[in-house]
Amino acid sequence: MKLTSYWLDTSQPFDRGSPKPLEGHYDVTVVGGGLTGSSAALALAKKGARVALLEAQTIGSAASGRNGGMCNNGFAQNYGVMAGKYGKDAANAMYKAFDAGIDMVERLVQEERIDCSFARVGKLKLAAKPEHYDMLARSQELLAANVDPEKRMIARADLRSEVGTDRYHGGLLFPKSANMQVGRFVRGLAIAAARRGAAIHEHAPVTALRKVADGHEVETSKGRIVARQVLLASGISQVGPLGWIRRRIVPVGAFLIVTEPLSPSKIERLMPTRRNVVDTRNLVVYWRLTPDNRMLFGGRARFAVSNPESDEKSGQILKAAMVDVYPELADTRIDYCWGGMVDMTRDRLPRAGERGGIYYSMGYSGHGTHMSTLMGSIMAEVMNGRPDLNPWKDFDWPAIPGYFGRPWFLPILGAYYRMKDLVG
Ligand SMILES: Cc1cc2nc3c(=O)[nH]c(=O)nc-3n(C[C@H](O)[C@H](O)[C@H](O)COP(=O)(O)OP(=O)(O)OC[C@H]3O[C@@H](n4cnc5c(N)ncnc54)[C@H](O)[C@@H]3O)c2cc1C
């Protein structure tokens, strides 16, 4: 079993790094080479801006190359709660922004000819308990009346045509959702940005940012540049001068396993419609097929950081969870196991805007494959004088009280959610 991301292991490494030294003047510096940063660099370069993208490690090596590759529409929160809190119009706009994110991924795949098996497979949300089915049905009614008429309920009796398990009590289908080989996608975006002239530097962590007369001086371990504008696309940002963000984003570990390829007859029994599948538990599990017919199974597993030892422990929990859903996979070999850190905000909604002359977009809270791609492109517009296009412009972002970058409360939160899943 490889303790590495299946997506990164099975896609060509990014090989278009700039050979030039890090010096001189740019219009924009993008800090971070995940989906947000690569998409932003591409959009800015298309506008003719001189762009430098600085990545602390390698393109897509953080969350963007380590996720489930699922572009699931809809937000994590209950629609009724969101409409009550922000008003119907605002809730609808946020909901539609996630749809627009998937459209943006699809458009970029086509325009840039990125070979990443993008497919509109749909998402199936499965009721882990009988009462969850009623909850999903109520949510479906509200969404159909207000913003998304395409969703439909699938009763327990009909579930076998979708997934080969009796573990669940029916589900809700979101037809717009999609999936892809996300390693190829993020690297493809960065290649497209480089093709359009963006200077991409890997292994170039930003260590200091200073305001100067004509913009910002950006210091890295490899050199220093000056840029008129700076975009932080730095996710959980564990390196560099980004302490302000570290008080607002909580890095939460999430883990995945990928099996050996499954036979066509197993696919037909277990995943005949090849959907993205998620369940309704607080400690959610999710799964999908890879383009080469492996089962990818993921979840939070334990509230722990991601490192090889931790990933392996989580992988064992995920294998047990997968076998609970599909007993037939008990003897199936696990070929890959890895983890990553999700950039969680307190309300699980992204944050994007400008602070002290520095732009930022992050905090996608586990719904980032498509939202980060969309926001990269939107931030290029925002930086070009269109802040009105930012769907998250009206959200304030106070620091989380008592939190200074070490999420001491996660084990307590994990125990709480585990208990909630057990009792109701
Ligand atoms: C295990 C896992 C599963 C997930 N599954 C899904 C899913 O199926 N669907 C979904 O929608 N979302 C999912 N997500 C969330 C999604 O992956 C993220 O929201 C998205 O990738 C965020 O992209 P990003 O570019 O903003 O951040 P990142 O991918 O984290 O990129 C930020 C980059 O900034 C760099 N950086 C940080 N600080 C500096 C610095 N000082 N100098 C230079 N570079 C710096 C980092 O090295 C990193 O490469 C998952 C996340 C994880 C971890």
Side-chain angles (χ1 to χ4, degrees), residues 88-111:
K88 249 185 212 175
D89 290 347
N92 291 352
M94 285 185 250
Y95 189 94
K96 285 182 183 158
F98 285 92
D99 288 356
I102 308 177
D103 296 341
M104 173 62 76
V105 171
E106 185 169 40
R107 207 177 87 200
L108 288 171
V109 166
Q110 282 164 6
E111 282 177 4

Side-chain angles (χ1 to χ4, degrees), residues 32 34-36 55-56 63-64 67-68 70 206 233-234 239 340 364 366-369:
L35 288 163
T36 308
E55 165 52 48
S64 294
N67 56 57
M70 307 205 272
V206 171
S234 44
V239 293
Y364 310 107
H367 283 61
T369 52

Side-chain angles (χ1 to χ4, degrees), residues 225-289:
I225 56 177
V226 173
R228 213 163 40 75
Q229 292 178 308
V230 173
L231 171 65
L232 300 180
S234 44
I236 61 163
S237 61
Q238 282 174 321
V239 293
L242 310 174
W244 187 80
I245 291 167
R246 284 194 281 271
R247 290 208 57 201
R248 286 157 175 79
I249 285 190
V250 181
V252 178
F255 305 89
L256 298 109
I257 52 174
V258 164
T259 67
E260 62 184 306
L262 304 182
S263 65
S265 61
K266 263 192 188 146
I267 302 275
E268 198 44 45
R269 274 196 307 280
L270 306 183
M271 291 284 277
T273 45
R274 303 184 77 96
R275 310 269 190 215
N276 297 336
V277 188
V278 301
D279 78 5
T280 52
R281 280 180 281 185
N282 289 295
L283 291 183
V284 63
V285 289
Y286 53 87
W287 63 94
R288 57 165 283 194
L289 294 172

